[in-house]
Amino acid sequence: MRATTIHAPFDMRVEDVPDPVVRDAADVVVRVVRACICGSDLWAYRGESARTPGQRIGHEFLGIVEEAGADVRGFRPGDLVVAPFVWSDGSCEYCAEGLQTSCPNGGFWGSVGSDGGQGEAVRVPFADGTLVKLPADAASDDRLLTALLALSDVMGTGHHAALGAGVRAGATVAVVGDGAVGLCGVLAARRLGAERIIALGRHTARTDIARAFGATDVVAERGEAAEAAVRELTGGQGAHAVIEAVGTEQSMRTAVAITRDGGSIGYVGVPHGSGTGLDLSVMFDRNIALRGGVAPVRAYIPELLPDVLDGTIDPSPVFDLTVDLEGVPGGYRAMDERTALKVLVRP
């Protein structure tokens, strides 16, 4: 079959790789119907996170079960399913606590020795603990399929950030980052009842989506100017809840600076760079809480799925460029050059 591999910085290839097969009785093989490129994939693309030459890549996909192992109980060939970006056994203590990302038997798609989502098919370990079944009729609804794909990562990650930030009904929320995760954070904050949502971003196409998702205000400035703008919008106090969806030192400094005393920051931006920008003495003095990390999206899919199916939330606008599998290398270039927000892949 064909699949995307990474060989060196900026060297993405679509190559022939062995077809996935059921290796364990708990496995299924999924034929990929939709996949996408994640902003976090760009760190490997740019050489900022190490990869083995020829390693598979991609961690967001949904598709059709083609084959199921003998011990699989919840799925059979023909089922439409979505995969969270981490597989998990569904039976350990962490999985029971809703922290599937810490499952000792779990792993990330595209890690060494595993299939990546940006290909024609994927072997899924621990299918019963990992996959979530989707309505069969969704397969014929292009927009709905695209919205459902967001449950594999960005919508659940935005929701995780909103929960970490303590978003509640009536709260003022600020979102640092105008990528797909930040935009889904806006959507999640609106869903949780935030009264005011301030989106920080400089790209009009993206902030237009933020407004459509529920942002009441947009701050285009950066650094100290952004901090001053948010303070002005909030009567000098800052936001009750701040979503940090970038992961740089500057973005974290901004998040701390715009948080109201007694407020919380939910951080989901993959950390990169030389430092975090955290000043614990400032956070201590102002009673600012920090919570976040890699999102256990498998725990959130059952909660978010009904709202996607009935149209209460629609994250599909974060996908603004569609390519076929052979077009994936060009999709990486488009996201790296910021001419695309998030690239949808249709094998």
Side-chain angles (χ1 to χ4, degrees), residues 60-278:
E60 301 159 285
F61 65 94
L62 59 76
I64 305 291
V65 174
E66 294 282 282
E67 183 181 1
D71 290 347
V72 175
R73 296 291 177 261
F75 305 96
R76 61 183 181 181
D79 285 342
L80 180 67
V81 294
V82 62
F85 63 80
V86 171
W87 72 79
S88 53
D89 62 21
S91 60
C92 72
E93 290 184 8
Y94 285 114
C95 287
E97 294 168 1
L99 195 64
Q100 290 87 345
T101 48
S102 291
C103 176
N105 293 313
F108 290 77
W109 311 113
S111 56
V112 174
S114 74
D115 294 334
Q118 294 163 19
E120 292 185 316
V122 176
R123 179 183 74 90
V124 178
F126 302 109
D128 285 328
T130 301
L131 299 173
V132 176
K133 188 181 296 186
L134 301 173
D137 57 3
S140 61
D141 186 329
D142 188 68
R143 183 211 57 78
L144 180 57
L145 271 183
T146 302
L148 291 168
L149 176 62
L151 294 176
S152 66
D153 185 348
V154 290
M155 188 63 232
T157 298
H159 179 67
H160 186 59
L163 294 179
V167 175
R168 63 186 186 279
T172 294
V173 181
V175 180
V176 181
D178 61 2
V181 169
L183 293 173
C184 286
V186 171
L187 198 56
R190 187 192 71 181
R191 177 180 176 273
L192 292 171
E195 180 176 333
R196 192 173 193 184
I197 303 172
I198 304 167
L200 281 68
R202 296 181 297 161
H203 303 85
T204 303
R206 299 181 179 202
T207 55
D208 284 349
I209 296 173
R211 290 187 184 278
F213 280 3
T216 55
D217 304 272
V218 169
V219 169
E221 294 84 358
R222 300 185 73 180
E224 292 182 358
E227 297 165 12
V230 173
R231 290 281 172 180
E232 183 177 355
L233 287 169
T234 57
Q237 294 184 337
H240 300 104
V242 175
I243 290 172
E244 192 286 313
V246 181
T248 64
E249 183 170 343
Q250 179 59 64
S251 64
M252 188 60 81
R253 287 187 183 278
T254 298
V256 172
I258 65 176
T259 304
R260 175 189 174 106
D261 288 13
S264 301
I265 300 168
Y267 72 103
V268 291
V270 178
H272 50 277
S274 59
T276 63
L278 286 175

